[in-house]
Amino acid sequence: MPFGDWQFWIVSLLGLGGAWFIIKPFLPGKSKSGSCPSCASGTASKKKKGQRVGLTIERKHMQ
């Protein structure tokens, strides 16, 4: 391994950065007790559950 070559270190750092972006979504994140990190106000609204509908291939309701 060419440890003295500066290009080796640049490519290695880029590889580690790429691996971090691939692995990061799979790591558990910190939860702020119900807050929404993507909301501007930082508060999360509860998701509204829609009405469940069971449909078949013929688009008839299942009983």
Side-chain angles (χ1 to χ4, degrees):
M1 292 208 156
F3 292 115
D5 191 9
W6 64 272
Q7 293 171 345
F8 168 77
W9 293 108
I10 297 295
V11 172
S12 296
L13 289 175
L14 288 174
L16 287 173
W20 175 252
F21 281 112
I22 292 172
I23 295 172
K24 187 177 178 182
F26 299 107
L27 298 175
K30 294 181 181 178
S31 176
K32 293 184 180 179
S33 65
S35 66
C36 178
S38 62
C39 297
S41 64
T43 59
S45 60
K46 291 188 178 184
K47 291 184 180 180
K48 296 179 183 177
K49 291 187 178 181
Q51 181 181 3
R52 290 188 176 194
V53 179
L55 297 176
T56 63
I57 296 174
E58 293 85 23
R59 296 185 180 180
K60 295 179 182 177
H61 288 283
M62 296 174 53
Q63 298 291 330

Short mmCIF file of all heavy atoms in Angstrom, two decimals:
data_model
loop_
_atom_site.label_atom_id
_atom_site.label_comp_id
_atom_site.label_asym_id
_atom_site.label_seq_id
_atom_site.Cartn_x
_atom_site.Cartn_y
_atom_site.Cartn_z
N MET A 1 0.84 -1.18 0.00
CA MET A 1 0.00 0.00 0.00
C MET A 1 0.89 1.25 0.00
O MET A 1 1.80 1.34 0.81
CB MET A 1 -0.91 0.01 1.21
CG MET A 1 -1.95 -1.03 1.24
SD MET A 1 -3.25 -0.32 2.18
CE MET A 1 -4.63 -1.17 1.66
N PRO A 2 0.57 2.18 -0.84
CA PRO A 2 1.40 3.39 -0.94
C PRO A 2 1.02 4.44 0.10
O PRO A 2 0.35 5.42 -0.19
CB PRO A 2 1.10 3.88 -2.36
CG PRO A 2 -0.28 3.40 -2.63
CD PRO A 2 -0.42 2.10 -1.89
N PHE A 3 1.45 4.24 1.34
CA PHE A 3 1.08 5.17 2.42
C PHE A 3 1.71 6.54 2.25
O PHE A 3 1.21 7.51 2.80
CB PHE A 3 1.47 4.58 3.78
CG PHE A 3 0.65 3.37 4.15
CD1 PHE A 3 1.25 2.14 4.27
CD2 PHE A 3 -0.70 3.48 4.37
CE1 PHE A 3 0.51 1.02 4.62
CE2 PHE A 3 -1.46 2.38 4.71
CZ PHE A 3 -0.86 1.15 4.84
N GLY A 4 2.75 6.66 1.49
CA GLY A 4 3.41 7.94 1.30
C GLY A 4 2.84 8.76 0.15
O GLY A 4 3.21 9.90 -0.04
N ASP A 5 1.91 8.20 -0.59
CA ASP A 5 1.34 8.88 -1.75
C ASP A 5 0.11 9.69 -1.32
O ASP A 5 -0.82 9.16 -0.70
CB ASP A 5 0.95 7.84 -2.80
CG ASP A 5 0.59 8.44 -4.13
OD1 ASP A 5 0.79 9.66 -4.32
OD2 ASP A 5 0.10 7.69 -4.99
N TRP A 6 0.07 10.97 -1.67
CA TRP A 6 -1.05 11.83 -1.27
C TRP A 6 -2.34 11.43 -1.97
O TRP A 6 -3.44 11.59 -1.42
CB TRP A 6 -0.73 13.30 -1.53
CG TRP A 6 -0.54 13.64 -3.00
CD1 TRP A 6 0.60 13.58 -3.70
CD2 TRP A 6 -1.55 14.08 -3.90
NE1 TRP A 6 0.37 13.96 -5.00
CE2 TRP A 6 -0.94 14.28 -5.15
CE3 TRP A 6 -2.91 14.34 -3.76
CZ2 TRP A 6 -1.65 14.71 -6.26
CZ3 TRP A 6 -3.61 14.77 -4.88
CH2 TRP A 6 -2.99 14.95 -6.10
N GLN A 7 -2.26 10.89 -3.18
CA GLN A 7 -3.45 10.47 -3.89
C GLN A 7 -4.13 9.28 -3.20
O GLN A 7 -5.35 9.16 -3.21
CB GLN A 7 -3.10 10.11 -5.33
CG GLN A 7 -2.64 11.30 -6.14
CD GLN A 7 -2.09 10.91 -7.49
OE1 GLN A 7 -1.79 9.73 -7.72
NE2 GLN A 7 -1.95 11.88 -8.37
N PHE A 8 -3.35 8.43 -2.59
CA PHE A 8 -3.89 7.31 -1.83
C PHE A 8 -4.77 7.81 -0.69
O PHE A 8 -5.86 7.30 -0.46
CB PHE A 8 -2.75 6.44 -1.28
CG PHE A 8 -3.19 5.43 -0.25
CD1 PHE A 8 -3.82 4.27 -0.66
CD2 PHE A 8 -2.96 5.65 1.10
CE1 PHE A 8 -4.22 3.34 0.28
CE2 PHE A 8 -3.35 4.72 2.04
CZ PHE A 8 -3.99 3.55 1.64
N TRP A 9 -4.32 8.83 0.01
CA TRP A 9 -5.07 9.38 1.14
C TRP A 9 -6.34 10.10 0.68
O TRP A 9 -7.39 9.99 1.33
CB TRP A 9 -4.19 10.29 1.99
CG TRP A 9 -3.12 9.52 2.67
CD1 TRP A 9 -1.80 9.52 2.38
CD2 TRP A 9 -3.30 8.58 3.74
NE1 TRP A 9 -1.13 8.64 3.20
CE2 TRP A 9 -2.02 8.06 4.05
CE3 TRP A 9 -4.39 8.14 4.46
CZ2 TRP A 9 -1.83 7.12 5.06
CZ3 TRP A 9 -4.19 7.19 5.47
CH2 TRP A 9 -2.94 6.69 5.75
N ILE A 10 -6.28 10.81 -0.43
CA ILE A 10 -7.47 11.50 -0.95
C ILE A 10 -8.54 10.48 -1.35
O ILE A 10 -9.71 10.61 -0.98
CB ILE A 10 -7.09 12.39 -2.16
CG1 ILE A 10 -6.12 13.49 -1.74
CG2 ILE A 10 -8.33 12.97 -2.82
CD1 ILE A 10 -6.71 14.49 -0.76
N VAL A 11 -8.13 9.46 -2.09
CA VAL A 11 -9.08 8.44 -2.52
C VAL A 11 -9.61 7.65 -1.32
O VAL A 11 -10.79 7.29 -1.28
CB VAL A 11 -8.44 7.51 -3.57
CG1 VAL A 11 -9.33 6.34 -3.90
CG2 VAL A 11 -8.11 8.30 -4.82
N SER A 12 -8.77 7.40 -0.34
CA SER A 12 -9.22 6.68 0.85
C SER A 12 -10.25 7.50 1.62
O SER A 12 -11.27 6.95 2.09
CB SER A 12 -8.03 6.38 1.76
OG SER A 12 -7.13 5.51 1.11
N LEU A 13 -10.02 8.80 1.76
CA LEU A 13 -10.98 9.66 2.46
C LEU A 13 -12.30 9.75 1.69
O LEU A 13 -13.38 9.73 2.29
CB LEU A 13 -10.40 11.05 2.67
CG LEU A 13 -9.28 11.15 3.71
CD1 LEU A 13 -8.70 12.56 3.73
CD2 LEU A 13 -9.81 10.77 5.08
N LEU A 14 -12.23 9.84 0.38
CA LEU A 14 -13.45 9.87 -0.42
C LEU A 14 -14.21 8.55 -0.30
O LEU A 14 -15.44 8.53 -0.23
CB LEU A 14 -13.11 10.15 -1.89
CG LEU A 14 -12.66 11.58 -2.21
CD1 LEU A 14 -12.22 11.68 -3.65
CD2 LEU A 14 -13.77 12.56 -1.91
N GLY A 15 -13.48 7.45 -0.26
CA GLY A 15 -14.11 6.15 -0.08
C GLY A 15 -14.78 6.01 1.27
O GLY A 15 -15.90 5.48 1.38
N LEU A 16 -14.13 6.48 2.32
CA LEU A 16 -14.73 6.44 3.66
C LEU A 16 -15.96 7.34 3.74
O LEU A 16 -16.96 6.99 4.38
CB LEU A 16 -13.69 6.85 4.71
CG LEU A 16 -12.60 5.83 5.00
CD1 LEU A 16 -11.55 6.42 5.93
CD2 LEU A 16 -13.21 4.57 5.61
N GLY A 17 -15.87 8.52 3.11
CA GLY A 17 -17.03 9.41 3.09
C GLY A 17 -18.20 8.79 2.35
O GLY A 17 -19.35 8.91 2.79
N GLY A 18 -17.94 8.15 1.23
CA GLY A 18 -19.00 7.47 0.49
C GLY A 18 -19.61 6.33 1.28
O GLY A 18 -20.83 6.14 1.28
N ALA A 19 -18.77 5.57 1.96
CA ALA A 19 -19.28 4.47 2.80
C ALA A 19 -20.14 5.01 3.93
O ALA A 19 -21.16 4.42 4.29
CB ALA A 19 -18.11 3.65 3.35
N TRP A 20 -19.77 6.16 4.50
CA TRP A 20 -20.54 6.77 5.58
C TRP A 20 -21.94 7.15 5.09
O TRP A 20 -22.93 6.92 5.76
CB TRP A 20 -19.82 7.98 6.14
CG TRP A 20 -20.62 8.72 7.15
CD1 TRP A 20 -21.21 9.93 7.00
CD2 TRP A 20 -20.94 8.29 8.48
NE1 TRP A 20 -21.87 10.28 8.14
CE2 TRP A 20 -21.73 9.30 9.07
CE3 TRP A 20 -20.65 7.16 9.22
CZ2 TRP A 20 -22.22 9.19 10.36
CZ3 TRP A 20 -21.13 7.06 10.51
CH2 TRP A 20 -21.90 8.06 11.06
N PHE A 21 -22.04 7.74 3.91
CA PHE A 21 -23.34 8.14 3.38
C PHE A 21 -24.21 6.93 3.03
O PHE A 21 -25.43 7.01 3.08
CB PHE A 21 -23.18 9.04 2.16
CG PHE A 21 -22.85 10.45 2.52
CD1 PHE A 21 -21.61 10.97 2.22
CD2 PHE A 21 -23.76 11.26 3.17
CE1 PHE A 21 -21.28 12.27 2.56
CE2 PHE A 21 -23.45 12.56 3.52
CZ PHE A 21 -22.21 13.07 3.20
N ILE A 22 -23.59 5.81 2.70
CA ILE A 22 -24.36 4.60 2.41
C ILE A 22 -24.83 3.95 3.71
O ILE A 22 -25.96 3.48 3.81
CB ILE A 22 -23.52 3.62 1.57
CG1 ILE A 22 -23.31 4.21 0.18
CG2 ILE A 22 -24.18 2.25 1.50
CD1 ILE A 22 -22.34 3.43 -0.68
N ILE A 23 -23.99 3.92 4.73
CA ILE A 23 -24.31 3.24 5.98
C ILE A 23 -25.18 4.10 6.90
O ILE A 23 -25.99 3.57 7.66
CB ILE A 23 -23.00 2.83 6.71
CG1 ILE A 23 -22.26 1.79 5.87
CG2 ILE A 23 -23.27 2.29 8.10
CD1 ILE A 23 -20.88 1.46 6.38
N LYS A 24 -25.06 5.41 6.85
CA LYS A 24 -25.73 6.33 7.77
C LYS A 24 -27.25 6.11 7.87
O LYS A 24 -27.79 6.11 8.98
CB LYS A 24 -25.42 7.77 7.38
CG LYS A 24 -25.93 8.77 8.36
CD LYS A 24 -25.51 10.18 7.95
CE LYS A 24 -26.06 11.21 8.90
NZ LYS A 24 -25.71 12.56 8.51
N PRO A 25 -28.00 5.93 6.78
CA PRO A 25 -29.45 5.73 6.92
C PRO A 25 -29.84 4.47 7.68
O PRO A 25 -30.94 4.39 8.22
CB PRO A 25 -29.96 5.65 5.48
CG PRO A 25 -28.91 6.26 4.65
CD PRO A 25 -27.62 6.05 5.38
N PHE A 26 -28.95 3.49 7.75
CA PHE A 26 -29.26 2.24 8.43
C PHE A 26 -28.93 2.27 9.92
O PHE A 26 -29.31 1.36 10.65
CB PHE A 26 -28.52 1.08 7.76
CG PHE A 26 -28.92 0.89 6.33
CD1 PHE A 26 -28.07 1.25 5.31
CD2 PHE A 26 -30.16 0.37 6.01
CE1 PHE A 26 -28.44 1.08 3.99
CE2 PHE A 26 -30.54 0.19 4.69
CZ PHE A 26 -29.68 0.56 3.68
N LEU A 27 -28.24 3.31 10.37
CA LEU A 27 -27.89 3.42 11.78
C LEU A 27 -29.05 4.03 12.55
O LEU A 27 -29.75 4.90 12.04
CB LEU A 27 -26.64 4.29 11.94
CG LEU A 27 -25.36 3.76 11.29
CD1 LEU A 27 -24.25 4.79 11.43
CD2 LEU A 27 -24.95 2.45 11.92
N PRO A 28 -29.28 3.58 13.81
CA PRO A 28 -30.36 4.17 14.60
C PRO A 28 -30.02 5.62 14.95
O PRO A 28 -28.89 5.95 15.29
CB PRO A 28 -30.41 3.28 15.85
CG PRO A 28 -29.08 2.63 15.92
CD PRO A 28 -28.58 2.52 14.51
N GLY A 29 -31.01 6.47 14.84
CA GLY A 29 -30.81 7.89 15.12
C GLY A 29 -31.28 8.26 16.52
O GLY A 29 -31.96 7.50 17.19
N LYS A 30 -30.91 9.45 16.93
CA LYS A 30 -31.35 9.95 18.22
C LYS A 30 -32.77 10.50 18.09
O LYS A 30 -33.08 11.25 17.19
CB LYS A 30 -30.43 11.07 18.70
CG LYS A 30 -29.03 10.59 19.00
CD LYS A 30 -28.17 11.74 19.49
CE LYS A 30 -26.77 11.28 19.78
NZ LYS A 30 -25.91 12.36 20.21
N SER A 31 -33.62 10.12 19.02
CA SER A 31 -35.00 10.58 19.00
C SER A 31 -35.17 11.69 20.03
O SER A 31 -34.71 11.57 21.16
CB SER A 31 -35.93 9.41 19.33
OG SER A 31 -37.26 9.87 19.41
N LYS A 32 -35.82 12.75 19.63
CA LYS A 32 -36.03 13.88 20.54
C LYS A 32 -37.45 13.85 21.10
O LYS A 32 -38.20 14.81 20.96
CB LYS A 32 -35.80 15.20 19.80
CG LYS A 32 -34.37 15.41 19.39
CD LYS A 32 -34.21 16.77 18.77
CE LYS A 32 -32.78 17.01 18.35
NZ LYS A 32 -32.62 18.33 17.72
N SER A 33 -37.83 12.78 21.69
CA SER A 33 -39.12 12.60 22.36
C SER A 33 -40.29 13.17 21.57
O SER A 33 -41.01 14.06 22.02
CB SER A 33 -39.09 13.21 23.77
OG SER A 33 -38.94 14.62 23.69
N GLY A 34 -40.45 12.68 20.34
CA GLY A 34 -41.60 13.06 19.56
C GLY A 34 -41.43 14.27 18.69
O GLY A 34 -42.36 14.71 18.05
N SER A 35 -40.28 14.86 18.67
CA SER A 35 -40.11 16.02 17.81
C SER A 35 -39.77 15.60 16.40
O SER A 35 -39.28 14.52 16.15
CB SER A 35 -39.02 16.94 18.36
OG SER A 35 -37.78 16.29 18.30
N CYS A 36 -40.03 16.47 15.50
CA CYS A 36 -39.81 16.18 14.08
C CYS A 36 -38.57 16.93 13.62
O CYS A 36 -38.57 18.15 13.57
CB CYS A 36 -41.03 16.62 13.29
SG CYS A 36 -40.87 16.38 11.53
N PRO A 37 -37.48 16.22 13.26
CA PRO A 37 -36.26 16.91 12.86
C PRO A 37 -36.38 17.66 11.54
O PRO A 37 -35.67 18.61 11.30
CB PRO A 37 -35.23 15.79 12.76
CG PRO A 37 -36.02 14.57 12.54
CD PRO A 37 -37.34 14.78 13.22
N SER A 38 -37.31 17.25 10.67
CA SER A 38 -37.44 17.92 9.39
C SER A 38 -38.46 19.06 9.42
O SER A 38 -38.57 19.80 8.46
CB SER A 38 -37.82 16.91 8.30
OG SER A 38 -39.07 16.35 8.61
N CYS A 39 -39.21 19.20 10.51
CA CYS A 39 -40.18 20.28 10.62
C CYS A 39 -39.47 21.57 11.02
O CYS A 39 -38.52 21.56 11.79
CB CYS A 39 -41.24 19.96 11.66
SG CYS A 39 -42.22 18.51 11.24
N ALA A 40 -39.97 22.69 10.52
CA ALA A 40 -39.34 23.97 10.82
C ALA A 40 -39.49 24.32 12.30
O ALA A 40 -38.59 24.85 12.93
CB ALA A 40 -39.95 25.07 9.96
N SER A 41 -40.64 24.00 12.88
CA SER A 41 -40.87 24.35 14.28
C SER A 41 -40.30 23.31 15.23
O SER A 41 -40.20 23.55 16.42
CB SER A 41 -42.37 24.50 14.54
OG SER A 41 -43.01 23.26 14.34
N GLY A 42 -39.96 22.13 14.71
CA GLY A 42 -39.40 21.08 15.55
C GLY A 42 -40.45 20.24 16.23
O GLY A 42 -40.14 19.37 17.01
N THR A 43 -41.73 20.50 15.96
CA THR A 43 -42.78 19.69 16.57
C THR A 43 -43.38 18.79 15.52
O THR A 43 -43.48 19.13 14.34
CB THR A 43 -43.90 20.59 17.14
OG1 THR A 43 -44.43 21.37 16.08
CG2 THR A 43 -43.36 21.48 18.23
N ALA A 44 -43.77 17.64 15.95
CA ALA A 44 -44.34 16.66 15.02
C ALA A 44 -45.83 16.57 15.23
O ALA A 44 -46.33 16.58 16.35
CB ALA A 44 -43.70 15.30 15.26
N SER A 45 -46.55 16.50 14.15
CA SER A 45 -47.97 16.25 14.24
C SER A 45 -48.19 14.77 14.03
O SER A 45 -47.51 14.13 13.23
CB SER A 45 -48.73 17.06 13.18
OG SER A 45 -48.28 16.69 11.90
N LYS A 46 -49.15 14.22 14.75
CA LYS A 46 -49.40 12.79 14.62
C LYS A 46 -50.01 12.52 13.26
O LYS A 46 -50.83 13.27 12.76
CB LYS A 46 -50.34 12.32 15.73
CG LYS A 46 -49.70 12.36 17.09
CD LYS A 46 -50.59 11.72 18.12
CE LYS A 46 -49.89 11.72 19.46
NZ LYS A 46 -50.67 11.02 20.47
N LYS A 47 -49.60 11.41 12.69
CA LYS A 47 -50.12 11.04 11.38
C LYS A 47 -51.57 10.61 11.52
O LYS A 47 -51.93 9.89 12.44
CB LYS A 47 -49.30 9.90 10.78
CG LYS A 47 -47.92 10.29 10.39
CD LYS A 47 -47.21 9.13 9.72
CE LYS A 47 -45.81 9.51 9.32
NZ LYS A 47 -45.12 8.41 8.67
N LYS A 48 -52.37 11.07 10.60
CA LYS A 48 -53.77 10.68 10.60
C LYS A 48 -53.89 9.37 9.84
O LYS A 48 -53.38 9.23 8.74
CB LYS A 48 -54.62 11.75 9.93
CG LYS A 48 -54.60 13.07 10.68
CD LYS A 48 -55.43 14.10 9.95
CE LYS A 48 -55.34 15.43 10.66
NZ LYS A 48 -56.07 16.48 9.95
N LYS A 49 -54.58 8.43 10.47
CA LYS A 49 -54.77 7.14 9.82
C LYS A 49 -55.97 7.25 8.89
O LYS A 49 -57.04 7.70 9.27
CB LYS A 49 -55.01 6.04 10.84
CG LYS A 49 -53.78 5.72 11.66
CD LYS A 49 -54.01 4.53 12.53
CE LYS A 49 -52.75 4.19 13.29
NZ LYS A 49 -52.93 3.02 14.12
N GLY A 50 -55.75 6.85 7.66
CA GLY A 50 -56.82 6.87 6.68
C GLY A 50 -57.69 5.65 6.82
O GLY A 50 -57.38 4.69 7.55
N GLN A 51 -58.81 5.66 6.12
CA GLN A 51 -59.71 4.54 6.14
C GLN A 51 -59.12 3.41 5.33
O GLN A 51 -58.68 3.61 4.20
CB GLN A 51 -61.06 4.95 5.56
CG GLN A 51 -62.08 3.86 5.56
CD GLN A 51 -63.39 4.33 4.94
OE1 GLN A 51 -63.48 5.45 4.48
NE2 GLN A 51 -64.37 3.46 4.93
N ARG A 52 -59.08 2.22 5.89
CA ARG A 52 -58.55 1.07 5.18
C ARG A 52 -59.60 0.51 4.24
O ARG A 52 -60.75 0.34 4.60
CB ARG A 52 -58.11 -0.02 6.15
CG ARG A 52 -56.90 0.37 6.94
CD ARG A 52 -56.41 -0.80 7.72
NE ARG A 52 -55.18 -0.46 8.40
CZ ARG A 52 -54.39 -1.34 8.93
NH1 ARG A 52 -54.70 -2.61 8.89
NH2 ARG A 52 -53.29 -0.96 9.53
N VAL A 53 -59.18 0.25 3.04
CA VAL A 53 -60.07 -0.29 2.04
C VAL A 53 -59.44 -1.54 1.46
O VAL A 53 -58.30 -1.51 1.01
CB VAL A 53 -60.31 0.75 0.91
CG1 VAL A 53 -61.23 0.16 -0.15
CG2 VAL A 53 -60.87 2.02 1.48
N GLY A 54 -60.17 -2.63 1.49
CA GLY A 54 -59.68 -3.86 0.90
C GLY A 54 -60.23 -4.02 -0.50
O GLY A 54 -61.43 -4.13 -0.69
N LEU A 55 -59.37 -3.99 -1.49
CA LEU A 55 -59.79 -4.13 -2.87
C LEU A 55 -59.22 -5.40 -3.47
O LEU A 55 -58.12 -5.82 -3.14
CB LEU A 55 -59.32 -2.93 -3.71
CG LEU A 55 -59.87 -1.57 -3.32
CD1 LEU A 55 -59.23 -0.50 -4.19
CD2 LEU A 55 -61.37 -1.54 -3.48
N THR A 56 -59.98 -6.01 -4.35
CA THR A 56 -59.50 -7.17 -5.08
C THR A 56 -59.05 -6.73 -6.46
O THR A 56 -59.11 -5.56 -6.81
CB THR A 56 -60.63 -8.22 -5.21
OG1 THR A 56 -61.67 -7.65 -5.97
CG2 THR A 56 -61.14 -8.65 -3.85
N ILE A 57 -58.63 -7.67 -7.28
CA ILE A 57 -58.19 -7.34 -8.63
C ILE A 57 -59.36 -6.79 -9.44
O ILE A 57 -59.19 -5.91 -10.27
CB ILE A 57 -57.58 -8.59 -9.31
CG1 ILE A 57 -56.33 -9.00 -8.55
CG2 ILE A 57 -57.27 -8.32 -10.77
CD1 ILE A 57 -55.71 -10.27 -9.03
N GLU A 58 -60.59 -7.27 -9.16
CA GLU A 58 -61.74 -6.80 -9.90
C GLU A 58 -62.29 -5.50 -9.35
O GLU A 58 -63.34 -5.04 -9.75
CB GLU A 58 -62.87 -7.87 -9.85
CG GLU A 58 -62.51 -9.14 -10.62
CD GLU A 58 -61.71 -10.10 -9.76
OE1 GLU A 58 -61.78 -10.02 -8.51
OE2 GLU A 58 -61.02 -10.95 -10.33
N ARG A 59 -61.60 -4.90 -8.40
CA ARG A 59 -61.99 -3.64 -7.74
C ARG A 59 -63.29 -3.73 -6.97
O ARG A 59 -64.04 -2.79 -6.87
CB ARG A 59 -62.06 -2.50 -8.74
CG ARG A 59 -60.73 -2.18 -9.37
CD ARG A 59 -60.83 -0.99 -10.25
NE ARG A 59 -59.54 -0.70 -10.84
CZ ARG A 59 -59.31 0.29 -11.65
NH1 ARG A 59 -60.25 1.12 -11.98
NH2 ARG A 59 -58.11 0.48 -12.16
N LYS A 60 -63.56 -4.90 -6.44
CA LYS A 60 -64.74 -5.09 -5.59
C LYS A 60 -64.28 -5.07 -4.15
O LYS A 60 -63.22 -5.59 -3.81
CB LYS A 60 -65.44 -6.42 -5.90
CG LYS A 60 -66.02 -6.48 -7.29
CD LYS A 60 -66.66 -7.82 -7.52
CE LYS A 60 -67.21 -7.91 -8.93
NZ LYS A 60 -67.77 -9.25 -9.19
N HIS A 61 -65.09 -4.50 -3.29
CA HIS A 61 -64.74 -4.44 -1.87
C HIS A 61 -64.77 -5.82 -1.27
O HIS A 61 -65.67 -6.62 -1.54
CB HIS A 61 -65.72 -3.54 -1.10
CG HIS A 61 -65.51 -2.10 -1.39
ND1 HIS A 61 -64.49 -1.38 -0.84
CD2 HIS A 61 -66.20 -1.23 -2.18
CE1 HIS A 61 -64.55 -0.13 -1.27
NE2 HIS A 61 -65.59 -0.02 -2.09
N MET A 62 -63.79 -6.11 -0.43
CA MET A 62 -63.75 -7.38 0.28
C MET A 62 -64.52 -7.25 1.57
O MET A 62 -64.45 -6.24 2.26
CB MET A 62 -62.30 -7.78 0.56
CG MET A 62 -61.48 -8.05 -0.67
SD MET A 62 -59.74 -8.34 -0.34
CE MET A 62 -59.80 -9.63 0.86
N GLN A 63 -65.25 -8.24 1.93
CA GLN A 63 -66.01 -8.23 3.17
C GLN A 63 -65.31 -9.00 4.23
O GLN A 63 -64.76 -9.99 4.11
CB GLN A 63 -67.40 -8.81 2.93
CG GLN A 63 -68.18 -7.99 1.95
CD GLN A 63 -68.58 -6.63 2.50
OE1 GLN A 63 -68.77 -6.46 3.70
NE2 GLN A 63 -68.69 -5.65 1.63
#
